[in-house]
């Protein structure tokens, strides 16, 4: 078995701009925005109560940095690395699923308000949406019948 080192160009090159690039860029900006809101504003008491499980792990400002990091990852994944086109969806889907489960598990185990279930449902659906989009092919790569 022979091991070959990847060429430096392979790691520094960018993928061409495609539809997934657009979707990942938009998602990255959305996650950046959510993170900046969490980082730069005081959450109302009802949100803090709904996010009790997550806030037991870290303060909302730390979570804001996590959301910003996920947004940056989404932006980077829009074009880099050339060999992996869809890794940003994994980052964004994972964070959305974690956030959604934080809402729902808080209701189940910490007696947070039932209204938190709506946040859990929304973020879980966002996670499923990213997962579903990641399975789509860019236009132009789909074989046409006929």
């Amino acid at each position: 078995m022979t091991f070959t080192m990847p060429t430096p160009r392979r790691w520094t090159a960018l993928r061409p701009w495609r539809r997934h690039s657009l979707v990942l860029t938009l998602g990255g900006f959305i996650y950046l925005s959510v993170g900046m809101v969490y980082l730069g504003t005081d959450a109302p008491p009802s949100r803090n109560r709904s996010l009790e499980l997550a806030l037991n792990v870290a303060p909302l400002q730390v979570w804001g940095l996590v959301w910003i990091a996920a947004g940056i990852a989404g932006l980077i994944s829009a074009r880099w690395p050339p060999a992996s086109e869809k890794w940003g969806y994994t980052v964004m889907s994972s964070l959305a699923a974690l956030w959604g489960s934080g809402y729902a598990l808080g209701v189940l185990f910490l007696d947070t308000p039932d209204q938190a279930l709506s946040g859990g449902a929304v973020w879980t659906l966002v996670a499923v949406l990213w997962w579903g989009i990641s399975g789509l092919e860019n236009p132009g790569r789909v074989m046409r019948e006929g």
Side-chain angles (χ1 to χ4, degrees), residues 74-141:
L75 291 170
I76 292 169
S77 75
R79 299 284 311 274
W80 184 85
S84 179
E85 183 175 58
K86 300 176 183 178
W87 66 272
Y89 293 121
T90 302
V91 172
M92 294 190 297
S93 182
S94 298
L95 182 54
L98 176 71
W99 207 241
S101 65
Y103 276 110
L105 290 173
V107 172
L108 291 173
F109 297 111
L110 298 177
D111 198 33
T112 60
D114 290 343
Q115 72 180 9
L117 290 175
S118 65
V122 167
W123 284 111
T124 301
L125 290 171
V126 168
V128 172
L129 180 69
W130 289 133
W131 173 77
I133 291 171
S134 72
L136 300 174
E137 292 294 328
N138 279 306
R141 294 187 64 183

